Amino acid sequence: MAQKIIPDIVIGRLPIYLRSLTRLLEQGRQVTSSQELGERLGISAAQIRKDLSQFGEFGKQGTGYNIEFLTKKIQEILKVDRVWDVAVVGAGDVGHAVAYYGGFHQRGFRIAQIFDNDPKKIGTKINEITVTDIANMEEAIHKAGIRVAMLTVPAGVAQEVTDTLVEAGVKAILNYAPVNLVVPQGVRVQYIDPAVHLQNMTYYLD
Amino acid sequence: MAQKIIPDIVIGRLPIYLRSLTRLLEQGRQVTSSQELGERLGISAAQIRKDLSQFGEFGKQGTGYNIEFLTKKIQEILKVDRVWDVAVVGAGDVGHAVAYYGGFHQRGFRIAQIFDNDPKKIGTKINEITVTDIANMEEAIHKAGIRVAMLTVPAGVAQEVTDTLVEAGVKAILNYAPVNLVVPQGVRVQYIDPAVHLQNMTYYLD
């Protein structure tokens, strides 16, 4: 049977639903509704029901969603019912911040390797992970079978480092460098650029 | 004359165009085309032409866009032809990283104030900005007329801090806390949550 193609925009909302469900669980809640989720997220209840219905029946009309069950299902769909090893490239301020961020593990990720080209940083430890020479990156990532990377290098070298990551077998790159990356088919890139978000909002200011 | 309503999704692409144009300028280029921009950004040339045409005529068929002119126009549209003062709330790892990030100024932003509630941090300096007690935040932001904030506090207090920011007159919040915020009409929030981006990509991994 051919697998159903789910639009990217629907997949993009699932992590947001998951985050909200996790928070409800932490608050001791057991059941929620598309209405409640919608109010918390600023998304219509109908949209949430439609999105979730793409993956099966997760709740009954009138009784709402069991939060723990729905959480597990979305974790399975997003494949974060396991923990992915992540390589961080760039041991600067942002690299440090992500290496010390405590929230990754319960959301499916573990920073496993950190690389830099600065001799002063190589060999030092960041949150118990030794910074490795970027010259050894391709081999180290390939050997460890790592497929997810976070890129926190300067814009000028981001494409070059990306090409090496792709060679090493990385298929998903979260790019903090303020530059668009070109990658082959089958490799995904997402971008974090605070200035882009801020510029998006200033348009609406008087 | 009524102002034309431009879809949010179009506004959302303008900072990406701007970033790419700035990079071309840095590389010494003077003219580009919707085809070239499209290839760099993974967006169709037709989409780029359509987006830009919402704001006027920026290039002629066949001769392409003058990069400097288009850059200035997009800066004006996004209101980053000026520099916005930004308040950072939370002097942790992420707060540090954004305070030291050198790329904001040329893109329209200047970190002007940093707040925290930790007595060990209050009074210290981060990139020459003194960390101020969060108890004085509302007054300080109001007095300075700051309307843009970056939120790097723990998830559990993010909503409470947001309410104070809104009271102080902030209209645009870039939220690094992994939680959805509820804000009144007229206040915009954008989110940076690396785990959400990573989860969005693991769906597509085998």
Side-chain angles (χ1 to χ4, degrees):
Chain A
M1 200 177 87
Q3 210 196 330
K4 190 173 163 188
I5 303 289
I6 313 283
D8 284 357
I9 195 160
V10 175
I11 301 305
R13 281 190 290 262
L14 293 184
I16 312 289
Y17 299 160
L18 182 56
R19 185 174 67 188
S20 207
L21 291 165
T22 307
R23 191 134 188 85
L24 285 166
L25 268 186
E26 285 167 359
Q27 291 166 351
R29 297 279 307 280
Q30 295 182 318
V31 176
T32 187
S33 63
S34 52
Q35 286 75 13
E36 184 185 41
L37 283 176
E39 279 163 27
R40 284 180 165 235
L41 301 176
I43 298 172
S44 79
Q47 181 71 66
I48 293 172
R49 285 196 298 273
K50 194 179 161 202
D51 285 353
L52 294 177
S53 72
Q54 304 252 18
F55 303 96
E57 278 292 331
F58 297 131
K60 279 182 192 153
Q61 191 74 35
T63 63
Y65 299 110
N66 177 294
I67 297 173
E68 195 175 344
F69 177 75
L70 185 56
T71 298
K72 279 191 181 161
K73 282 293 168 191
I74 296 181
Q75 285 171 335
E76 284 171 22
I77 294 165
L78 293 174
K79 299 180 184 149
V80 290
D81 52 349
R82 65 210 79 171
V83 174
W84 296 83
D85 279 354
V86 177
V88 174
V89 194
D93 287 323
V94 177
H96 261 85
V98 301
Y100 278 105
Y101 175 53
F104 281 129
H105 200 273
Q106 68 168 32
R107 299 171 78 185
F109 304 95
R110 183 181 79 96
I111 308 298
Q113 302 188 347
I114 303 178
F115 300 94
D116 205 292
N117 67 350
D118 182 348
K120 287 198 291 284
K121 291 176 180 164
I122 294 165
T124 64
K125 288 200 174 194
I126 301 179
N127 203 10
E128 299 181 20
I129 303 158
T130 303
V131 178
T132 303
D133 189 340
I134 203 167
N136 303 323
M137 181 175 80
E138 187 175 339
E139 194 191 340
I141 287 178
H142 184 76
K143 200 170 159 189
I146 290 178
R147 306 174 64 212
V148 181
M150 299 172 82
L151 196 56
T152 73
V153 299
V157 297
Q159 183 62 54
E160 182 191 336
V161 173
T162 296
D163 295 343
T164 307
L165 289 172
V166 171
E167 281 294 315
V170 166
K171 300 288 184 197
I173 299 171
L174 181 52
N175 177 28
Y176 283 80
V179 58
N180 273 75
L181 300 175
V182 178
V183 291
Q185 276 263 317
V187 178
R188 297 216 158 228
V189 181
Q190 295 244 332
Y191 296 87
I192 287 188
D193 183 345
V196 161
H197 288 286
L198 291 171
Q199 291 177 341
N200 198 326
M201 295 191 284
T202 48
Y203 171 81
Y204 300 95
L205 298 183
D206 301 322
Chain B
M1 201 178 86
Q3 212 195 330
K4 191 173 164 190
I5 303 288
I6 313 285
D8 284 357
I9 196 161
V10 175
I11 302 304
R13 282 191 288 264
L14 293 184
I16 312 289
Y17 299 160
L18 183 56
R19 185 173 68 188
S20 208
L21 291 165
T22 307
R23 192 133 187 85
L24 285 167
L25 268 186
E26 285 167 359
Q27 291 167 349
R29 296 279 307 280
Q30 295 183 320
V31 176
T32 187
S33 63
S34 53
Q35 285 77 14
E36 183 184 42
L37 283 174
E39 278 164 27
R40 286 181 165 235
L41 301 176
I43 299 172
S44 78
Q47 182 71 67
I48 293 173
R49 286 195 299 272
K50 194 179 160 202
D51 286 352
L52 294 177
S53 72
Q54 305 252 18
F55 303 96
E57 279 291 332
F58 296 131
K60 278 182 192 154
Q61 191 75 34
T63 63
Y65 298 111
N66 178 293
I67 298 173
E68 196 175 340
F69 176 75
L70 185 56
T71 299
K72 279 191 182 163
K73 281 294 167 189
I74 297 181
Q75 285 172 335
E76 284 171 23
I77 293 165
L78 294 173
K79 298 179 185 150
V80 290
D81 51 348
R82 64 209 82 171
V83 175
W84 296 83
D85 278 353
V86 177
V88 173
V89 194
D93 287 323
V94 177
H96 261 85
V98 300
Y100 278 105
Y101 176 54
F104 281 130
H105 200 273
Q106 68 169 33
R107 299 171 77 185
F109 304 96
R110 183 180 79 97
I111 308 300
Q113 302 189 345
I114 303 177
F115 301 94
D116 205 292
N117 67 350
D118 182 347
K120 287 200 290 286
K121 290 176 181 164
I122 294 165
T124 63
K125 288 200 173 192
I126 302 178
N127 203 11
E128 299 182 19
I129 302 158
T130 304
V131 178
T132 303
D133 189 341
I134 202 167
N136 303 323
M137 181 175 78
E138 188 176 338
E139 195 191 339
I141 286 179
H142 184 75
K143 200 171 160 189
I146 289 177
R147 306 174 63 210
V148 181
M150 298 172 82
L151 196 56
T152 73
V153 300
V157 297
Q159 183 63 53
E160 181 191 338
V161 173
T162 297
D163 296 344
T164 307
L165 288 173
V166 171
E167 280 294 316
V170 166
K171 299 289 183 196
I173 298 171
L174 181 52
N175 177 28
Y176 282 80
V179 59
N180 273 75
L181 300 174
V182 179
V183 291
Q185 276 263 318
V187 178
R188 297 220 157 222
V189 180
Q190 295 245 330
Y191 296 87
I192 287 188
D193 183 344
V196 160
H197 288 286
L198 291 171
Q199 290 178 341
N200 197 325
M201 294 190 285
T202 48
Y203 172 82
Y204 299 95
L205 297 183
D206 301 322

